[in-house]
Structures are given as C-alpha cells and as structure tokens.
Amino acid sequence: MTRAITVALTLLAGVLLGAVPASASGPIPAPPGLTSADVSFNGFGGLTLHGTVLAPAKAARPVPGVVLVTGSGAGVPREHLLTEATEFARRGLAVLIYDKRSVGYSDFRRSYSELADDALAAVGALRARPGVDPAKVGLWGLSEGGWVAPLAASRSADVAFVIVVGGNAMTPMRQQVWNETSALRRAGVSGSLIEHGKHNFARLGADAGLFAEAFFDAQGVLARVRQPLLGVWGARDLQTPPEDNPPLFARALRRGGNPRYTFRFFADADHAAHVTPDGGVTRGEALAPGYADLVGSWVRDVTSGRPPAAGTATPPKQDYASVEISPSPWWASWQMQVAAFALFVVAFTGYPLVALVRRLRGRTVRPVSRWARLLATAGLTSVIGLLVYIFYLMAAGRSPDPGPVLAGRPLPWLVLQALAVAAVGAGIVTAVAWRRAAATVPAGERARLGLLVTAGLVFVPWAVYWGLLLP
C-alpha cells in the first residue's frame, strides 16, 4: 500500500509539473561576429515556444540553417545549447535554439511525436528568417533529440538534413538500461542484480506507464528518413552505447534505401561531444576539437549537392554491450507483480499478526513448525528489500553507490539473496511438517498455513525472475 501511494503521488507530481507552461528565458546577447534575434512560433497544440537565432553578422548570400533539438528534461532553456549554437554560427550557419516545452512533458509523460511537431514548427520559423536559405534548413538532435529529429525529418521534406549527437537507433529502454547497468559495472557489480533485477525493474516501470516512450521504434523511423544524416558520438559517451548504435543506424537507413549517412567519432569526448577531463563523467564547456568544423563543412556539402560518401569510421569500443529488452510477458506483467506483492504482504505479515492476536486473547495454538516464522520474516524482508534497493539504485542514475562489493555482488544484494534462500528452505520445511501433522491441525490454522505456504510457493518463481535465487 505504501508503494502504491508513493507511485500515485509521484505520478500526480509529474502531471502537475507537466502542466507548467514553457516560458522564454529571455534575449541572448549577440556573441562577437554574430547577430542575435528572438523568435516565437507555435508548436504542437498551439503552444507558443520562444527561441533565439544566431547567425553570421556579415553574409554575402542566404546561409544554411539548423534547428537544435535538446535532450531530455522539461522546459530545458535555450541557453543549454548556446555553446553549440555559437560555434555552428561561427561556421557560417544560422542556428535556432529554443526553450523546450514543459506542457505535456514530465518524467512519466512525454511524446516524441509532439516534440517532433515542435521541431518542425521551429524549422518553419527559421526558414522564414531573412538571410536564411529556406531550402537548406535542417535539424540537429542531442540524446533524446536524436530520436525526435529523425522523426520530424521523416514527416517533412522541408527538412534538408539531419544531425544526431549521442543518438540512438535502439529503444529508449535498451539505452537507459545500458546507461544504468554500465554505471553499476564500473562500480564492480556483475551477475543477477544487473542481468535480472535491473532489467526487470525497468520493464516493470514501462509496463506500469512510468517509463514514457520506452519501446519507441527508432529503427522504423530511421527507415523513413530520406535526408542526408550525420551521426556524431563521443568515444567517452557513458549514456549512449557509442559502439552499438552506428551499425543500427546504418542498417535502418539502408533498409529504407538511404545510403547518405556519415558517422564520425571524437576521442576524449562525452555524450554531447564536449571535451571531458575524466572519461565522460564530467562535461567540459568546450566542444571536441574539429566537431564544429565538421558540422559546418558537412552542412555546406550536403546542402550544395555534394553529399559525402557514407562514413565507415570504426566506432569506439564500449566496455559493456547493450542488450535488447522486450516488454514483459503476461505472467510477469505489472498486474501480476502487484498481485504477487499483495499476496506476499498479506501472507507474510498475516502469519505473525494472527499469532500476536491469539496471544493477546490468551489462546495458544502449537505451531506446526517454527520454520514458518522464518519463512514469513525472510520472505517479507527480501520482497520489500529488493524493491527498495533497486529503486534506490535507479534513483542514483549514473552515480550509484551499490555498497561494498564482494565477488561482483553488492553486500545488500547478497543479504537479500541469503534471505531469499532462507525463505525457500523454511517454506519447504514448513510444508513437509504440515503434511505430517495434517490430521491434528485445527481448521483455522490450516487456513493460516495454507496462505503462508501458497505465498512461499509463489515466492520461488518470483525470486528467480528477480535474480534473488540466481548467481
């Protein structure tokens, strides 16, 4: 019940946060050598979005343009991409950055389709700007924007090209689980906590509607993209698999008959292709050397009818491979998980509570086996402990502290596994003792034991599914 209340309150908070209108962050002064102009346009649902266009101060002819689509987060201000906008504008492009919507966007509710409509509205606003060549305006997407920009491009021929940085041709579920489990692996964790606990907890969240766009069909969208595409990844990307994604991009684009893609990789660069001083943990202010030059020259080429050959650069090596994750089967759905959890709470708490009530009333019933108490205690503790521990690791994001790690297993996980083994052993002993003494067990005690043993039986496949009974 406490968990249900917590989820309900969190969902309510997400809805309330998602109802906050997007607001302009204010004018951006023109950097040296550039002009700055504020613009407004109507995105999905008629929502007014505000942005800034940075462009070369002196241009002999209309210049190509690019709209920057930011990564995840509600209401991300345009200043978040000011470094990119400034550097691209200095390479001869007109660049539109805008405040991301917060209406309809939260941790639990977002639509890439709506964000794509926002991006297309921004493209329209930039195409209408004086000094911008309307036939040469494209989209650039970072991280989450790497799903949004191709989707927008697949819907409109007004988009001349697509650039993705730290982008994914895999589902958000696969990317997010790789992100979180890689952080645990760097902390020395391996085994069932990662391969079962974390994976299945993420699937549970998606099943319950707490992971928006979890199974977004990125490859299906890319197969519909006809524009030239530039993919950029930092070799020190800790959020998106930089080795797994390029082949997935190439496969999807070629399936749709589009060979016009270029992939480039930058050493010592993070998820956003910024310089990182510590292997991707910290993002530096500066862009990776050569990155802005690449964007400027590539855009000029593809918008002038000189698309470069398909990029074949070798992707950087990942320390850990990503794994495709499918939706939960019916027997592990969130409804079945809630039912199992309810059974555990009722059975494992009910057994000692009944004994307490009997004692207060002065009644005593000799237990069939004292191991039944261990089943109730260990079973309940391992169930609640697993949910709390994995939720804690999930909330920690890219900086989890799993606790002391022994042979790849965090100490808290080992304790939970020991409790699960104890619960299974106690359940077996209790069931055997009950069968031997069945003729002498009162009816009320049979009901009490029946519920407890049933919970013990269900606990076994449940604990296997979550990895508590696996190495």
Side-chain angles (χ1 to χ4, degrees):
M1 183 63 70
T2 301
R3 171 66 177 165
I5 293 173
T6 301
V7 169
L9 291 176
T10 306
L11 284 169
L12 177 60
V15 171
L16 293 176
L17 287 173
V20 179
S23 59
S25 57
I28 294 178
L34 304 177
T35 62
S36 174
D38 289 337
V39 297
S40 297
F41 53 92
N42 293 328
F44 174 82
L47 177 68
T48 299
L49 299 170
H50 307 277
T52 297
V53 176
L54 299 183
K58 298 179 181 179
R61 60 180 60 88
V63 299
V66 62
V67 172
L68 306 191
V69 181
T70 190
S72 62
V76 179
R78 69 192 84 167
E79 288 86 354
H80 184 67
L81 296 176
L82 183 56
T83 298
E84 283 83 353
T86 300
E87 294 301 323
F88 298 163
R90 286 175 175 160
R91 270 69 176 181
L93 308 180
V95 186
L96 171 56
I97 50 177
Y98 61 95
D99 304 321
K100 187 177 179 180
R101 71 164 51 233
S102 55
V103 172
Y105 186 106
S106 71
D107 287 340
F108 306 111
R109 195 278 175 193
R110 69 189 65 177
S111 167
Y112 292 168
S113 178
E114 294 175 8
L115 295 176
D117 284 352
D118 291 347
L120 288 176
V123 168
L126 186 56
R127 281 164 52 89
R129 293 292 303 170
V132 176
D133 188 331
K136 298 181 178 181
V137 174
L139 285 165
W140 172 102
L142 167 65
S143 192
E144 181 183 81
W147 285 302
V148 174
L151 177 59
S154 73
R155 294 177 173 179
S156 175
D158 289 343
V159 178
F161 58 85
V162 181
I163 301 171
V164 294
V165 180
N168 289 277
M170 56 181 60
T171 63
M173 169 69 78
R174 179 174 174 179
Q175 177 269 330
Q176 183 63 24
V177 170
W178 179 85
N179 178 359
E180 295 180 3
T181 57
S182 293
L184 286 172
R185 291 184 189 278
R186 290 192 296 273
V189 178
S190 61
S192 59
L193 171 58
I194 288 178
E195 296 166 3
H196 295 272
K198 286 290 292 181
H199 286 194
N200 291 333
F201 196 78
R203 294 204 301 182
L204 177 63
D207 291 345
L210 304 180
F211 189 158
E213 298 281 14
F215 298 105
F216 177 77
D217 184 13
Q219 294 187 47
V221 168
L222 288 167
R224 300 194 298 272
V225 171
R226 298 293 177 263
Q227 297 88 339
L229 182 143
L230 171 63
V232 174
W233 288 270
R236 303 301 180 186
D237 194 334
L238 300 181
Q239 295 175 250
T240 290
E243 182 181 6
D244 291 347
N245 271 296
L248 297 178
F249 267 90
R251 187 182 311 153
L253 291 166
R254 286 192 173 276
R255 188 172 76 240
N258 183 2
R260 298 187 295 167
Y261 57 85
T262 305
F263 300 151
R264 293 292 182 264
F265 312 99
F266 290 90
D268 300 321
D270 75 345
H271 180 56
H274 282 234
V275 172
T276 174
D278 50 13
V281 177
T282 303
R283 176 170 301 171
E285 293 185 6
L287 302 185
Y291 165 39
D293 293 331
L294 167 67
V295 169
S297 62
W298 185 86
V299 169
R300 284 192 298 272
D301 285 344
V302 299
T303 57
S304 300
R306 301 188 304 271
T312 56
T314 302
K317 292 294 183 182
Q318 296 167 202
D319 291 332
Y320 314 105
S322 63
V323 178
E324 188 61 70
I325 299 177
S326 60
S328 300
W330 68 267
W331 48 266
S333 65
W334 72 267
Q335 296 93 335
M336 297 296 288
Q337 295 288 345
V338 169
F341 182 75
L343 172 63
F344 296 149
V345 170
V346 171
F348 293 152
T349 60
Y351 187 84
L353 284 177
V354 169
L356 177 61
V357 170
R358 286 173 176 172
R359 189 175 298 110
L360 292 176
R361 292 180 175 180
R363 296 173 53 196
T364 59
V365 175
R366 185 173 180 274
V368 168
S369 171
R370 298 193 180 275
W371 286 85
R373 298 176 182 175
L374 178 59
L375 168 58
T377 302
L380 183 64
T381 304
S382 58
V383 168
I384 294 178
L386 177 136
L387 296 177
V388 170
Y389 184 60
I390 297 185
F391 185 82
Y392 156 76
L393 292 177
M394 182 193 72
R398 289 188 293 144
S399 302
D401 180 9
V405 178
L406 304 175
R409 276 62 175 172
L411 183 58
W413 186 251
L414 286 173
V415 171
L416 292 172
Q417 289 188 304
L419 287 169
V421 171
V424 172
I428 294 173
V429 175
T430 300
V432 171
W434 181 21
R435 180 171 182 176
R436 289 175 176 173
T440 62
V441 178
E445 185 66 5
R446 285 199 298 270
R448 178 189 178 207
L449 280 171
L451 183 61
L452 180 65
V453 171
T454 299
L457 289 173
V458 174
F459 179 82
V460 174
W462 182 90
V464 170
Y465 177 77
W466 286 102
L468 288 177
L469 295 178
L470 298 174

